[in-house]
Amino acid sequence: MRSGTDMASVRPRKFDEDQARAGAMTLFWEKGRSATSLDDLALAMNMNRPSIYNAFGNKEAIYRRPLQRLCGHLVQGMQVTLGSDKSLAAGLYAFFDQAIEVYCGNNPPLGCLMICTAPGEALNHPEVGSDLKALIQRLDAGFTARLDKAKQDGDLPGSTQPKLAAQLLQATLQSVALRARSGHSKASLRKLARYTIDLIVSGGSG
């Protein structure tokens, strides 16, 4: 027969982990890390503070987890859209369209969790700064690889500098995220993204 300690060790948790994570992510997305209190988290996650610490760790750990997950989804989306058999322009259109749907997917639109909240945390929280830097590097690398291939295939003008063009694409992605959060329409965001893409594909003659 199991002892009371054994029974306690196998007793199921009294909270919905996925729901708790989703509540925390939405709260951080709305308010950022610094403006979110532990009492805010307890309410959003439907948990008391000791249970939050035991299950998820401190506030920074709770904040960084959805950052890393959403960054993984963003990079995966890039791999799928840019790694397909589509033309360079079509693949970039698809990637930005996918990002815009995410950035405008809440009411009101919240933009990108990383782009819209992490820069303000990066200096005081080095781990968050590392997360942000890693995302920037991964996106630069993904864009650069696809642009290099397009240039080798003759789909880009010989004067194109893939690394700089990749940084321009990422700058546009960041602008789209911030503009989404400020209430710009999907149509205007798609127009901005397509203008940048068309300029790069045409070598600046669009």
Side-chain angles (χ1 to χ4, degrees), residues 85-98:
D85 293 332
K86 297 177 181 178
S87 68
L88 173 63
L92 288 170
Y93 288 166
F95 172 74
F96 274 87
D97 285 349
Q98 186 179 82

Side-chain angles (χ1 to χ4, degrees), residues 126-180:
E127 294 84 356
V128 175
S130 295
D131 292 338
L132 179 60
K133 183 178 180 179
L135 175 65
I136 291 172
Q137 291 174 335
R138 292 178 73 182
L139 291 177
D140 276 352
F143 282 135
T144 300
R146 183 62 184 89
L147 292 165
D148 275 332
K149 182 180 184 304
K151 187 172 181 178
Q152 292 169 6
D153 293 343
D155 296 330
L156 280 176
S159 60
T160 301
Q161 299 183 54
K163 287 185 178 180
L164 288 178
Q167 292 173 19
L168 177 58
L169 286 168
Q170 182 158 187
T172 301
L173 183 66
Q174 293 166 358
S175 180
V176 164
L178 293 171
R179 288 169 182 271

Side-chain angles (χ1 to χ4, degrees), residues 89 92-93 191 193-206:
L92 288 170
Y93 288 166
K191 186 175 181 180
R194 279 161 168 68
Y195 187 76
T196 301
I197 293 165
D198 291 346
L199 277 178
I200 289 173
V201 171
S202 67
S205 60

Side-chain angles (χ1 to χ4, degrees), residues 2-22:
R2 291 179 176 174
S3 67
T5 300
D6 290 336
M7 291 296 291
S9 66
V10 298
R11 186 176 297 141
R13 293 179 175 180
K14 295 181 179 179
F15 65 91
D16 185 317
E17 186 169 338
D18 290 338
Q19 187 177 17
R21 290 183 190 279

Side-chain angles (χ1 to χ4, degrees), residues 2-141:
R2 291 179 176 174
S3 67
T5 300
D6 290 336
M7 291 296 291
S9 66
V10 298
R11 186 176 297 141
R13 293 179 175 180
K14 295 181 179 179
F15 65 91
D16 185 317
E17 186 169 338
D18 290 338
Q19 187 177 17
R21 290 183 190 279
M25 181 179 71
T26 301
L27 183 62
F28 283 129
W29 212 335
E30 291 172 348
K31 301 182 67 172
R33 179 200 173 280
S34 295
T36 298
S37 69
L38 288 174
D39 287 337
D40 292 334
L41 282 173
L43 184 62
M45 300 172 77
N46 195 29
M47 298 172 65
N48 59 43
R49 290 168 61 166
S51 296
I52 291 174
Y53 278 116
N54 290 335
F56 300 105
N58 62 19
K59 188 169 76 168
E60 184 165 331
I62 301 169
Y63 172 68
R64 290 182 67 206
R65 197 167 298 173
L67 278 185
Q68 293 165 350
R69 185 174 68 175
L70 287 176
C71 290
H73 289 167
L74 184 59
V75 172
Q76 184 179 35
M78 168 182 276
Q79 293 170 342
V80 171
T81 53
L82 299 189
S84 68
D85 293 332
K86 297 177 181 178
S87 68
L88 173 63
L92 288 170
Y93 288 166
F95 172 74
F96 274 87
D97 285 349
Q98 186 179 82
I100 289 167
E101 287 301 317
V102 173
Y103 297 165
C104 297
N106 296 282
N107 187 21
L110 297 175
C112 173
L113 176 62
M114 176 71 86
I115 292 170
C116 294
T117 68
E121 307 290 343
L123 290 180
N124 293 324
H125 302 280
E127 294 84 356
V128 175
S130 295
D131 292 338
L132 179 60
K133 183 178 180 179
L135 175 65
I136 291 172
Q137 291 174 335
R138 292 178 73 182
L139 291 177
D140 276 352

